[in-house]
Amino acid sequence: MAASETTLTTVAGAALGAATGALVGLPVIGALAGGANGAVSGARQVYDWSTGKGRLAFALDSTWALATTTAGLVAHAVAATQHDAAYQEALSRRQNRHVYGRGFRMRKGFAITLGNVVNGAGDVTRPRKAKLVTDHEDVHVWQARWFGPLYPFLYGGWMAGAALVATVAWPIVGRGRSWFRLVETYSYYLNPFEWWAYSRDDHWPPSGKLADVGWQRPIVQSLASRRSRPV
């Protein structure tokens, strides 16, 4: 079963990736990226084919979101160099994402999601860490899918622009605050994509954010409250 699924997702991913890459004159690169994602995802049985959401995830990962999916392949490559990347099968199999306890990390204590790959999840036997994956990082997985090639530019553009604004404003509004904390609040915590994810995680405002800076209320309803709503 796993072998046949791997073959099908590799071939289908390569075909969809080639068609997508051809739109920008890069059919071979598109085929390689789509096929590689299909191979690793099929081998690990990541996509939930029994639901429309799972089929849509594969289609988006192989087409519109192919650029961010390619970033996820880089994360897989980094994890492959680690003696214990701590791949989390229970949070990955048929969950339309890959989850590593370690993997690619940029900042200690912070998870980072590249395409359909969640990295730095930590000890997911702890309920809070597991919820971080399902209610926060999974939001980023789908943000990358919905916004596709625009996602890194929108996310990164906000970070760069907000960091500049915070730096210019610091002498005026800093009032003895740490420059780093002000920049982090503006560029990271107030980033609309993070505001969205922290709100879904029922974790707004986060403890790292300067309390009196920026939006005070969640932008969307938390996933926890949606689950507890009577049917």
Side-chain angles (χ1 to χ4, degrees):
M1 176 63 182
S4 60
E5 179 173 345
T6 302
T7 299
L8 290 171
T9 53
T10 300
V11 172
L16 290 170
T20 302
L23 297 176
V24 291
L26 299 170
V28 175
I29 293 176
L32 291 173
N37 175 69
V40 67
S41 299
R44 290 174 170 172
Q45 299 183 312
V46 160
Y47 294 109
D48 183 2
W49 303 109
S50 67
T51 66
K53 183 177 181 180
R55 295 188 290 273
L56 178 63
F58 175 74
L60 289 173
D61 286 349
S62 305
T63 55
W64 172 241
L66 189 60
T68 53
T69 300
T70 303
L73 295 174
V74 174
H76 286 306
V78 170
T81 67
Q82 298 173 344
H83 72 276
D84 183 16
Y87 186 74
Q88 303 297 318
E89 183 176 7
L91 287 170
S92 304
R93 188 174 184 275
R94 303 306 183 206
Q95 301 300 312
N96 307 312
R97 62 177 178 250
H98 299 268
V99 180
Y100 289 99
R102 292 183 62 209
F104 178 88
R105 291 179 294 180
M106 295 185 66
R107 184 177 175 186
K108 186 177 180 179
F110 281 72
I112 182 171
T113 294
L114 299 177
N116 58 17
V117 183
V118 178
N119 305 270
D123 181 6
V124 295
T125 62
R126 296 166 52 193
R128 173 61 201 142
K129 288 293 187 179
K131 185 172 178 287
L132 176 67
V133 171
T134 61
D135 291 20
H136 183 118
E137 296 304 325
D138 193 63
V139 174
H140 290 316
V141 170
W142 281 95
Q143 287 170 348
R145 286 172 176 147
W146 294 129
F147 289 89
L150 302 178
Y151 180 63
F153 294 101
L154 293 171
Y155 190 107
W158 176 281
M159 290 198 74
L164 178 60
V165 169
T167 298
V168 172
W170 181 55
I172 303 169
V173 303
R175 295 193 295 274
R177 295 184 176 120
S178 159
W179 169 84
F180 178 81
R181 288 287 306 282
L182 189 67
V183 169
E184 181 182 50
T185 294
Y186 272 80
S187 63
Y188 173 70
Y189 289 112
L190 297 185
N191 188 315
F193 291 108
E194 292 298 339
W195 185 22
W196 178 357
Y198 276 104
S199 297
R200 283 296 194 204
D201 191 20
D202 198 17
H203 206 60
W204 189 269
S207 59
K209 171 185 171 295
L210 288 173
D212 60 340
V213 176
W215 17 93
Q216 304 298 310
R217 299 176 62 84
I219 188 175
V220 290
Q221 186 180 37
S222 71
L223 293 173
S225 63
R226 292 178 61 186
R227 295 188 193 106
S228 62
R229 186 192 311 163
V231 178

